Amino acid sequence: VIIGLVVGSRAVTEVANQVPAAAAAQVNPNPAGPESIARGEPLYLANCAACHGARGDADGPTSLQRGLVIDPLADDVSGLTDGQLAYRIRVGTVSTGMPGFASTLSENDRWDLVNYLRDAFGATER
């Protein structure tokens, strides 16, 4: 019974974290130039580094303190479209501790953050 509950809850979490096709297909309206990347860096440091770490190695003080198990950003970012990244930043992810930033970061800020993630963690646009 316990194994069934664990497997079932994992499936529910995966479904809850699926990015809608329309969101995944969105194209970043902000060109990934130096200006956008420069705007994204302080957003990352202020909003993401506490968990993801300054270098995206999943070793931020909050994640270590809470015992969160997260992947290095270079592993995750490269497998996601810009739209998927922007969606996750906007709404967060269920059962990971990652909040959504829709109320604290503007849409333009979220796209700049996507450009920074691509640049900082070596993942090309998808």
Side-chain angles (χ1 to χ4, degrees), residues 39-51 53-56 113 116 121:
R39 289 189 303 266
E41 181 177 16
L43 297 171
Y44 174 82
L45 293 172
N47 296 284
C48 312
C51 288
R55 294 182 313 274
L113 184 52
Y116 173 76
F121 305 109

Side-chain angles (χ1 to χ4, degrees), residues 45-67:
L45 293 172
N47 296 284
C48 312
C51 288
H52 290 285
R55 294 182 313 274
D57 294 328
D59 61 352
T62 301
S63 66
L64 295 175
Q65 178 185 21
R66 293 184 184 173

